[in-house]
C-alpha cells in the first residue's frame, strides 16, 4: 500500500445495496479505513423487508428469491452464516403453469427437470449438462466485466448460446412446456424476447437453479443486508445511515469514493467534476422497463391448479412463449398488456417466520412502461386467478407500488427499472460508459459500482467487488487476487 496524505477515511462508499456493501467489505478487508453511507435509516438497497400489509406479515420490498446471492463468487467467500444468514430451499425452485392444467418446473436435478418436458427431455439435457459440468468456474467469467476469460473454451461454448435471442434459442424445443418455461426465465431480462442476448438471462438463472438452487433467506431479504453489514462492522468498517448524499461537499475527506448509485444520480452528485465526454456518455445511458409490484397478506397458501406450483418458491405466470413474448413486446413499446407476464414468489410456504401461524404472504410484480403510474393490480390478480381459481377470496390485505413509487423508494430504480439500465448488447459490458474500466469515472478517485456497471442487475455484489478491486489498485497500489 502506497503512503498517502492523511484523510478522514481511505475510502467512502455511498449506497448500501449489495454492491455498495460488497465494495466496502472488499476494501475494508485490505486493512483500509472505510465508511459506508446510506441515505435511508436502514441499509440494504433492494434487500429490505417490512410489514407492508398487516402486522406480523413480513414482505420483501424489492428482491425476494436469491439464486445469485448464493452463487456469488464474492459473497460465497464471506462467513455470512456466522452473522445470521441462513437460506431455505423450496422443494421446487420455479414452476410455470399452463392453461391446460399442466406445468413445467425447474429443480436442482437436470434429469428431473428434463423428464417433465417429455419430447424435449434430450434437448434440454444437452443444453444444460455441459454448462453444469464446470458451472462455478464458468460463473466467474460470466459475473465479471469484459476480460480475457479464465476458461476460454467453456466461456465460448456458453457465449454461442447466450448471445442468441430467447426466441432463437427456443427453436430447439418443440413442446409448449419447454418453450414457455424458457420464456419465463428469459423475461427476467426485461426486454423483448427477440433481442440478442436475452437467452443469456434464462441460461444463467436455470443453470444456477440446477447447480445450487433458488433459495429464500430466512426472515426476508433484509437478512442478507444485515449479515453483510454486521460482517463489515466486525472487521472495522463504519456505517452511517439517514444521510442522503446530494453533493460531494457532504462527504468526508477520503482518497477514494465509490458510488452505489446509477448514472443519473452520479451526475447529480458529482457531475461538475467530470469531463464533458464522460457526462455526455452518462446522459446517454438507457434505462428500461419499470415494474408494478404487489404484496399480499393471505388467509391460506395459493391453491394453484397444478401441484408443482404449490411446491415452488417462484412461479412464472404467462402461459405460452408466444403470450409472454407479446406481453413483453407491448410493454417495451409503451403499452400495458391485459395479460402481463407475472413473477410470483411465495416465501411463507417455506419460511414460517414470514406470517402468523396458518397465514401466508405472496410477492409479485409485472413489467410496465418506464415511469408508469397505471394501476396493474387487477391485471396481476387476474393472472394469478387464472392458474389458481379462488385466489382473490384468500386476500386479507394488499400493498402496491407502481414504477414511479419504486423510483421514489429507491432513486436507482429510474422509471422503476430494477435492473439499473437495459442489459442489451449495447450496454452489457459498456455500462454505464465505454471506458477501459467501466467502474472508473473521468475524475481520479471517484468510482461507480451499482448494477449500472457489469455484470449488471441481481443480488450478487460483483459490481461492487470489481469496482473496489479497481480502486484498490489505482489509489492504494493493492492488487487483490482473482476469485
Amino acid at each position: 500500500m502506497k503512503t498517502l496524505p492523511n484523510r478522514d477515511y481511505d475510502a467512502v462508499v455511498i449506497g448500501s445495496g449489495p454492491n455498495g456493501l460488497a465494495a466496502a467489505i472488499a476494501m475494508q478487508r485490505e486493512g483500509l479505513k472505510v465508511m459506508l453511507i446510506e441515505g435511508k435509516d436502514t441499509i440494504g438497497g433492494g434487500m429490505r423487508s417490512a410489514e407492508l400489509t398487516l402486522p406480523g406479515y413480513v414482505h420483501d420490498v424489492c428482491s425476494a428469491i436469491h439464486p445469485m446471492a448464493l452463487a456469488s463468487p464474492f459473497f460465497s467467500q464471506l462467513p455470512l452464516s456466522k452473522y445470521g444468514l441462513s437460506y431455505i430451499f423450496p422443494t421446487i425452485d420455479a414452476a410455470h403453469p399452463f392453461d391446460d392444467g399442466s406445468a413445467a418446473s425447474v429443480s436442482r436435478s437436470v434429469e428431473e427437470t428434463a423428464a417433465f418436458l417429455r419430447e424435449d427431455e434430450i434437448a434440454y439435457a444437452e443444453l444444460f449438462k455441459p454448462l453444469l459440468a464446470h458451472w462455478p468456474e464458468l460463473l466467474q467469467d460470466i459475473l465479471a466485466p469484459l476480460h480475457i476469460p479464465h476458461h476460454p473454451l467453456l466461456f465460448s461454448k456458453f457465449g454461442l448460446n447466450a448471445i442468441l435471442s430467447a426466441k432463437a434459442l427456443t427453436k430447439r424445443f418443440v413442446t409448449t412446456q419447454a418453450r414457455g418455461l424458457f420464456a419465463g426465465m428469459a423475461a427476467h431480462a426485461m426486454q423483448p424476447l427477440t433481442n440478442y442476448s436475452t437467452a443469456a438471462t434464462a441460461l444463467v438463472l436455470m443453470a444456477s437453479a440446477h447447480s445450487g438452487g433458488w433459495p429464500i433467506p430466512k426472515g426476508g431479504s433484509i437478512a442478507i443486508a444485515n449479515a453483510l453489514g454486521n460482517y463489515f462492522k466486525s472487521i472495522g468498517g463504519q456505517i452511517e445511515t439517514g444521510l442522503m448524499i446530494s453533493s460531494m461537499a457532504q462527504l468526508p475527506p477520503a482518497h477514494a469514493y465509490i458510488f452505489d448509485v446509477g448514472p443519473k444520480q452520479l451526475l447529480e452528485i458529482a457531475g461538475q467534476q467530470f469531463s464533458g465526454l464522460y457526462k455526455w456518455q452518462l446522459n446517454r445511458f438507457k434505462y428500461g422497463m419499470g415494474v408494478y409490484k404487489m404484496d399480499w397478506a393471505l388467509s391460506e397458501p395459493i391453491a394453484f391448479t397444478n401441484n408443482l406450483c404449490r411446491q415452488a418458491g417462484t412461479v412464472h405466470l404467462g402461459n405460452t412463449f408466444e403470450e409472454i413474448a407479446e406481453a413483453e413486446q407491448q410493454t417495451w413499446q409503451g403499452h400495458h398488456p391485459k395479460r402481463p407476464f407475472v413473477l410470483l414468489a411465495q416465501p411463507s410456504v417455506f419460511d414460517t417466520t414470514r406470517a402468523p401461524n396458518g397465514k401466508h404472504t405472496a410477492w409479485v410484480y409485472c413489467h410496465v412502461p418506464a415511469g408508469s403510474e397505471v394501476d396493474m393490480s387487477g391485471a396481476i390478480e387476474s393472472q394469478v386467478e387464472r392458474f389458481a381459481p379462488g385466489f382473490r377470496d384468500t386476500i386479507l390485505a394488499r400493498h402496491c407500488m407502481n414504477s414511479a413509487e419504486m423510483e421514489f423508494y429507491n432513486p436507482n430504480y429510474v422509471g422503476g427499472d430494477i435492473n439499473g439500465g437495459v442489459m442489451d448488447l449495447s450496454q452489457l459490458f459498456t455500462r454505464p460508459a465505454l471506458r477501459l474500466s467501466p467502474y472508473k469515472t473521468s475524475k481520479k478517485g471517484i468510482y461507480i459500482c451499482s448494477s449500472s456497471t457489469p455484470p449488471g442487475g441481481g443480488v450478487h455484489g460483483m459490481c461492487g467487488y470489481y469496482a473496489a478491486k479497481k480502486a484498490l489498485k489505482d489509489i492504494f497500489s493493492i492488487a487483490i487476487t482473482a476469485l
Side-chain angles (χ1 to χ4, degrees):
M1 178 177 175
K2 69 171 69 169
T3 302
L4 296 168
N6 288 332
R7 298 285 189 272
D8 289 357
Y9 296 95
D10 292 309
V12 173
V13 178
I14 299 90
S16 69
N19 292 306
L21 283 159
I25 289 170
M27 300 193 82
Q28 187 69 37
R29 291 211 304 176
E30 297 303 318
L32 303 185
K33 184 180 181 183
V34 182
M35 165 68 82
L36 176 64
I37 298 176
E38 167 58 43
K40 291 187 177 293
D41 292 333
T42 60
I43 64 169
M47 305 177 295
R48 290 195 178 97
S49 307
E51 295 181 342
L52 299 177
T53 56
L54 298 171
Y57 292 79
V58 178
H59 305 275
D60 291 318
V61 182
C62 296
S63 58
I65 307 295
H66 292 280
M68 303 317 296
L70 179 70
S72 168
F74 182 61
F75 287 165
S76 62
Q77 289 186 349
L78 308 179
L80 300 183
S81 62
K82 295 181 180 179
Y83 295 88
L85 177 61
S86 62
Y87 287 117
I88 298 171
F89 293 85
T91 308
I92 292 171
D93 293 301
H96 188 119
F98 296 89
D99 281 341
D100 64 2
S102 68
S105 65
V106 176
S107 68
R108 282 175 290 289
S109 167
V110 175
E111 292 78 13
E112 182 179 292
T113 300
F116 274 105
L117 302 177
R118 300 187 301 279
E119 292 95 329
D120 284 316
E121 179 177 1
I122 294 175
Y124 187 90
E126 288 180 344
L127 178 61
F128 282 100
K129 279 189 173 181
L131 295 180
L132 293 167
H134 303 280
W135 184 244
E137 296 91 340
L138 183 57
L139 194 62
Q140 288 184 17
D141 281 328
I142 294 171
L143 294 181
L146 188 62
H147 67 295
I148 298 174
H150 297 103
H151 307 280
L153 184 59
L154 289 173
F155 191 73
S156 62
K157 289 181 178 179
F158 168 79
L160 288 174
N161 286 319
I163 200 171
L164 297 175
S165 70
K167 181 178 181 180
L169 193 143
T170 52
K171 288 181 180 178
R172 69 180 61 198
F173 300 130
V174 297
T175 63
T176 297
Q177 286 72 21
R179 289 170 52 79
L181 180 66
F182 200 86
M185 296 292 176
H188 283 256
M190 298 178 68
Q191 300 175 57
L193 302 191
T194 52
N195 279 16
Y196 284 111
S197 78
T198 46
T201 298
L203 291 172
V204 170
L205 288 175
M206 296 170 92
S208 295
H210 293 315
S211 65
W214 286 18
I216 298 166
K218 184 176 182 180
S221 295
I222 195 170
I224 303 176
N226 287 341
L228 289 166
N230 289 334
Y231 172 66
F232 173 59
K233 288 189 289 186
S234 77
I235 59 175
Q238 299 179 49
I239 298 177
E240 181 76 29
T241 59
L243 178 58
M244 186 65 72
I245 301 300
S246 57
S247 77
M248 294 294 293
Q250 294 173 268
L251 297 171
H255 297 293
Y257 298 95
I258 303 183
F259 286 87
D260 185 8
V261 303
K264 180 181 178 181
Q265 291 70 45
L266 185 62
L267 280 169
E268 292 171 353
I269 296 169
Q272 69 278 7
Q273 302 200 33
F274 297 149
S275 69
L277 175 60
Y278 188 65
K279 287 191 287 187
W280 176 78
Q281 288 180 304
L282 294 187
N283 276 312
R284 285 172 53 85
F285 186 74
K286 297 183 300 182
Y287 292 94
M289 303 177 188
V291 300
Y292 187 96
K293 163 83 163 29
M294 294 186 74
D295 292 278
W296 295 297
L298 304 174
S299 61
E300 59 188 65
I302 301 173
F304 286 105
T305 300
N306 190 288
N307 188 53
L308 289 175
C309 299
R310 302 185 188 193
Q311 302 174 64
T314 300
V315 183
H316 291 159
L317 305 175
N319 200 36
T320 64
F321 178 96
E322 290 73 20
E323 187 175 317
I324 295 170
E326 177 62 23
E328 295 300 281
Q329 184 66 43
Q330 286 184 29
T331 306
W332 186 260
Q333 294 174 342
H335 307 297
H336 296 79
K338 292 182 179 179
R339 284 186 162 182
F341 171 64
V342 170
L343 298 96
L344 181 148
Q346 42 191 5
S348 62
V349 172
F350 310 96
D351 181 1
T352 58
T353 70
R354 302 296 187 95
N357 188 35
K359 308 301 181 184
H360 286 273
T361 64
W363 169 107
V364 66
Y365 72 85
C366 73
H367 300 149
V368 294
S372 170
E373 297 184 16
V374 171
D375 182 355
M376 294 294 289
S377 60
I380 288 175
E381 290 182 357
S382 292
Q383 284 288 69
V384 182
E385 187 83 17
R386 176 182 178 184
F387 301 101
F391 161 73
R392 282 195 177 97
D393 296 335
T394 70
I395 299 174
L396 302 175
R398 300 173 176 84
H399 179 269
C400 305
M401 295 175 72
N402 62 38
S403 63
E405 291 166 333
M406 290 293 290
E407 181 176 354
F408 180 78
Y409 165 76
N410 187 337
N412 281 357
Y413 301 155
V414 175
D417 181 356
I418 58 175
N419 272 343
V422 179
M423 292 180 63
D424 60 9
L425 279 182
S426 69
Q427 291 193 160
L428 195 58
F429 294 109
T430 60
R431 50 197 297 125
L434 180 59
R435 297 178 63 79
L436 290 176
S437 170
Y439 314 105
K440 189 174 181 178
T441 72
S442 63
K443 174 66 175 178
K444 182 179 180 180
I446 297 180
Y447 299 82
I448 178 172
C449 76
S450 68
S451 59
S452 298
T453 64
V459 177
H460 46 65
M462 297 307 295
C463 310
Y465 167 78
Y466 280 109
K469 184 176 180 179
K470 182 61 178 171
L472 285 164
K473 182 179 179 181
D474 288 350
I475 306 300
F476 305 99
S477 297
I478 297 174
I480 53 178
T481 58
L483 292 170

